[in-house]
Amino acid sequence: MHTATPAASQESVKVSIVVPTYNTGETVLTGLRSFLAQTMPRAQFEIIYVDDESSDGTVALLEAEIAEQGAEATARVVRTEHSGWPGRPRNIGTDLARGEFVHYVDDDDRLAPEALERMYARARETGADIVIGRMAGHGRRAPRTLFEQPMTSGDLRTDTALLASMTVHKLFRRAFLREHRLRFPEGKVRLEDHMFTLRAFLLTDRVATVHDYTCYHWVRHSDGKHNVSYRTIEPRPYVESIRRVLAVLEAPDTYVPPGRHRNRLVAKWYGKKALDRIAGQRLLDQPEERRAEWIEAVGALAAELPPETDTALPTRLRIVAALARHGDRTLLEEQARFEAGVGHRPRVESAWWREGQLTVRCSTYLVRRDSGRGRGRGSAPLAFTRHGDRRVLRLPPRVAAVDAVAARADFAKAVRRSNIRGQLRHREGGTVLNLATTWRVAEVPVAGGEDSRPGGRTARIRAACRKSARLAVRLTARLAARLTGRPGGRLSGAGRHGEDVCTLRYEAEFTVDPATADHGRPLAPGIWDLHFQLGCGGWRTSRRLRGHSIDVPEATGLTAEPASHQVPPPRQRRAPSTAART
């Protein structure tokens, strides 16, 4: 049984916003007010809140705000028996929806003013069954690469780009949902949104994006009271949910045949949702008893999957997978301690404004923080051993002694496929923009064959990197293409030194034009911080370039060199580099 306030107007409805609520409190009003502030006329959309029997004043707050805003014809609140999870409320809201499209929103998130208008227009323009609006994360990591280019007909059966966005915060054609009987699992089921979204993606080849406007603000509250899915995760039920997600690939209407593409799909959940739980700091943060439960649960899943599944994993997780199958908890914990210290430390070499554009040259290298040292201190570049074409990560000796691990510790391909980006992050709004970046990676010899174990590195590694920095030659996109035969400037320095042990130094350059940086449009007013992202072999971190930001004024029109920019001109004091925080 469920009850509702009066329904919306019977006029044609373009979009139905469906929001499950439970003890959300006053933060629920932020979302409601963002819906009522949409540029789409109110008569063209409806808001359906489905309350999962809140015990606080959430329903009263909503109903009072709806009445005060005179929005009774637009918004309604439905009460239902407590189910403990968003699945059933979303199903109820979908059944009540009358819109051509349904947009699922969480109760503490919000939409940007033009979100519905832009997403609906994109759906009509492309004929899409699903439209994904650009997202900004607040306390969460929102997808970014998905919005680098416009997408008009995304298809998960031929491309993995859609794996970047598996939450349900999207626009779905209601006829598409009905035709395929798409429903959310009900009850306390982890990853229920992934089960729904994966099935939806596999049932259509018409997925579009709004890439040039931030539509959805995805919020995680620090008090832990609002996001129901951030309750303590029990390992066995969670891994069982991963099995249920993977079972979608076996269902008759969403079947994906065995092979390379299927392995890449499986890796999304096997790697990021399972193996990552028993790696690095995520494992070490768990109490000892919970660690054992996670290792047992993930190990059981690893034993069920064919070994060829590992081929789609990033290199660091292939090592973890080998250890999970090996079954030695002490080795997994030793590898986790090793991984917990891995990150990168960027440094701005130079930055200057010219004709209204900011150019930044920076460098970084993968580092590992030695245990027992102060934050940012005691770090040394990660070391690799060269064996012909192989670049083998120097792991803790007992870990490296496992045969399956030794076979998977080669990072040569991962280094060639490294992902380097300059980024802009809007401090107030949360939008992240990836910048076209020219980069190269060079091998730097480690003097004397230094060991990479904690305590085994010396200042000579850092001295070698500093020497490399002084000798580094600017690599433009044109020169990079000539040297590598590929656009983008990826050049490996492999094999140029005779030493057996090396570390990696990344050098990059990017340019920002505030007048066009947001896909041809000016940057929004506010402060945009510059970041440097490094991804290699499964390690991916983005570090802020401290002291380097662009302050875009509220006034329309941008001067050639904004007076408020915080990047120092050439030959003046250089901003401090960002310390590695791993």
Side-chain angles (χ1 to χ4, degrees):
M1 294 287 293
H2 55 262
T3 58
T5 58
S9 165
Q10 295 302 309
E11 295 181 37
S12 176
V13 175
K14 293 179 177 178
V15 180
S16 298
I17 302 173
V18 172
V19 189
T21 62
Y22 177 71
N23 285 354
T24 315
E26 290 191 1
T27 58
V28 77
L29 299 180
T30 302
L32 174 59
R33 289 165 183 164
S34 77
F35 306 152
L36 297 176
Q38 290 295 299
T39 55
M40 177 179 281
R42 285 194 188 180
Q44 296 178 7
F45 69 93
E46 63 177 353
I47 309 162
I48 305 172
Y49 283 94
V50 184
D51 186 76
D52 199 39
E53 203 171 11
S54 290
S55 57
D56 66 354
T58 297
V59 171
L61 283 167
L62 283 170
E63 292 179 337
E65 184 73 13
I66 290 169
E68 182 179 338
Q69 296 280 347
E72 291 88 346
T74 302
R76 50 178 162 159
V77 182
V78 177
R79 301 174 179 85
T80 185
E81 296 87 352
H82 186 62
S83 67
W85 218 250
R88 185 166 185 268
R90 286 189 183 125
N91 287 338
I92 291 172
T94 305
D95 291 340
L96 294 172
R98 298 177 300 108
E100 183 183 354
F101 289 87
V102 175
H103 195 316
Y104 298 106
V105 179
D106 282 349
D107 55 357
D108 41 14
D109 296 341
R110 65 183 186 273
L111 297 179
E114 300 176 26
L116 293 186
E117 185 177 7
R118 285 176 176 264
M119 294 178 75
Y120 181 80
R122 187 67 168 158
R124 295 302 298 268
E125 172 194 356
T126 62
D129 291 317
I130 305 171
V131 178
I132 311 170
R134 190 170 78 186
M135 302 177 71
H138 303 269
R140 298 177 181 266
R141 180 179 293 180
R144 294 185 290 273
T145 56
L146 185 61
F147 306 113
E148 288 184 350
Q149 300 292 332
M151 176 184 289
T152 58
S153 55
D155 185 353
L156 191 59
R157 290 187 176 275
T158 59
D159 187 16
T160 58
L162 292 174
L163 289 177
S165 179
M166 295 305 301
T167 62
V168 297
H169 311 125
K170 303 170 175 62
L171 196 71
F172 294 85
R173 189 181 299 274
R174 190 161 62 94
F176 168 74
L177 300 179
R178 287 199 313 268
E179 177 186 356
H180 296 286
R181 299 180 182 178
L182 278 158
R183 309 286 288 178
F184 291 91
E186 298 192 2
K188 296 181 180 180
V189 180
R190 289 281 179 180
L191 300 175
E192 90 291 341
D193 53 344
H194 287 226
M195 299 171 197
F196 178 94
T197 305
L198 176 59
R199 186 158 182 259
F201 279 161
L202 291 173
L203 288 169
T204 183
D205 58 1
R206 294 184 296 174
V207 182
T209 60
V210 173
H211 75 293
D212 55 355
Y213 178 81
T214 299
C215 297
Y216 196 97
H217 290 270
W218 195 22
V219 182
R220 180 182 181 182
H221 291 279
S222 58
D223 59 15
K225 297 178 180 178
H226 300 85
N227 303 106
V228 65
S229 61
Y230 276 90
R231 296 171 183 169
T232 301
I233 297 176
E234 297 296 332
R236 290 182 184 85
Y238 189 83
V239 172
E240 184 57 36
S241 286
I242 294 174
R243 290 188 179 94
R244 290 183 63 177
V245 173
L246 298 181
V248 174
L249 305 177
E250 297 282 357
D253 58 347
T254 52
Y255 178 74
V256 177
R260 182 181 179 185
H261 188 66
R262 182 188 176 116
N263 290 340
R264 294 170 73 188
L265 298 182
V266 170
K268 164 72 177 182
W269 291 274
Y270 175 44
K272 294 185 178 181
K273 297 297 183 180
L275 293 172
D276 211 35
R277 293 277 177 182
I278 58 172
Q281 198 62 48
R282 294 190 79 176
L283 179 66
L284 301 180
D285 284 342
Q286 298 290 332
E288 187 172 347
E289 182 179 348
R290 186 59 61 85
R291 288 187 199 176
E293 292 177 5
W294 274 112
I295 290 171
E296 180 183 356
V298 174
L301 177 63
E304 297 167 12
L305 295 173
E308 56 265 26
T309 302
D310 293 5
T311 60
L313 295 170
T315 311
R316 61 170 278 266
L317 290 182
R318 292 187 196 183
I319 294 170
V320 177
L323 292 173
R325 290 194 171 98
H326 186 68
D328 189 326
R329 174 183 166 186
T330 59
L331 292 183
L332 274 164
E333 291 180 337
E334 187 170 353
Q335 175 64 12
R337 286 190 291 273
F338 175 86
E339 269 205 73
V342 175
H344 81 106
R345 183 187 303 162
R347 171 189 178 92
V348 174
E349 303 295 344
S350 59
W352 67 92
W353 286 90
R354 182 177 299 160
E355 297 180 354
Q357 298 183 355
L358 170 66
T359 298
V360 178
R361 293 180 190 165
C362 46
S363 63
T364 193
Y365 48 89
L366 281 169
V367 298
R368 183 182 180 278
R369 185 182 66 244
D370 291 343
S371 59
R373 303 293 184 89
R375 186 173 68 182
R377 298 183 181 276
S379 299
L382 213 57
F384 297 82
T385 302
R386 290 194 290 244
H387 297 292
D389 292 334
R390 304 183 77 218
R391 301 295 179 267
V392 179
L393 178 65
R394 293 173 67 83
L395 296 165
R398 293 201 319 133
V399 173
V402 176
D403 290 342
V405 169
R408 291 164 171 79
D410 180 10
F411 272 69
K413 187 178 293 185
V415 171
R416 291 194 299 271
R417 296 177 176 177
S418 296
N419 184 282
I420 308 298
R421 284 191 176 95
Q423 294 179 324
L424 287 173
R425 295 194 178 196
H426 194 220
R427 194 179 296 179
E428 296 84 2
T431 296
V432 178
L433 300 175
N434 288 334
L435 302 169
T437 304
T438 296
W439 63 271
R440 78 168 192 168
V441 56
E443 290 185 357
V444 178
V446 175
E450 297 281 347
D451 197 336
S452 69
R453 289 171 292 175
R457 303 182 187 90
T458 70
R460 279 180 287 179
I461 303 177
R462 296 189 190 89
C465 287
R466 286 195 294 270
K467 182 178 179 181
S468 174
R470 290 193 295 270
L471 297 176
V473 179
R474 178 183 179 186
L475 186 68
T476 65
R478 181 178 300 175
L479 177 59
R482 185 163 69 243
L483 292 176
T484 65
R486 299 191 305 270
R490 305 185 181 192
L491 174 66
S492 172
R496 294 195 296 170
H497 304 285
E499 293 82 2
D500 291 329
V501 182
C502 65
T503 189
L504 304 171
R505 175 182 170 81
Y506 292 86
E507 301 158 7
E509 180 177 310
F510 56 88
T511 298
V512 182
D513 182 349
T516 61
D518 190 353
H519 300 279
R521 298 188 308 144
L523 293 176
I527 297 175
W528 291 83
D529 293 314
L530 272 65
H531 286 241
F532 187 12
Q533 178 180 278
L534 167 62
C536 176
W539 287 302
R540 178 176 292 183
T541 48
S542 181
R543 301 298 188 203
R544 184 160 69 91
L545 301 176
R546 295 185 181 277
H548 295 269
S549 58
I550 301 173
D551 192 349
V552 180
E554 288 285 348
T556 58
L558 290 164
T559 60
E561 296 184 11
S564 56
H565 73 75
Q566 299 178 16
V567 178
R571 304 181 186 278
Q572 293 190 15
R573 179 183 59 84
R574 179 178 292 160
S577 62
T578 303
R581 294 183 178 180
T582 54

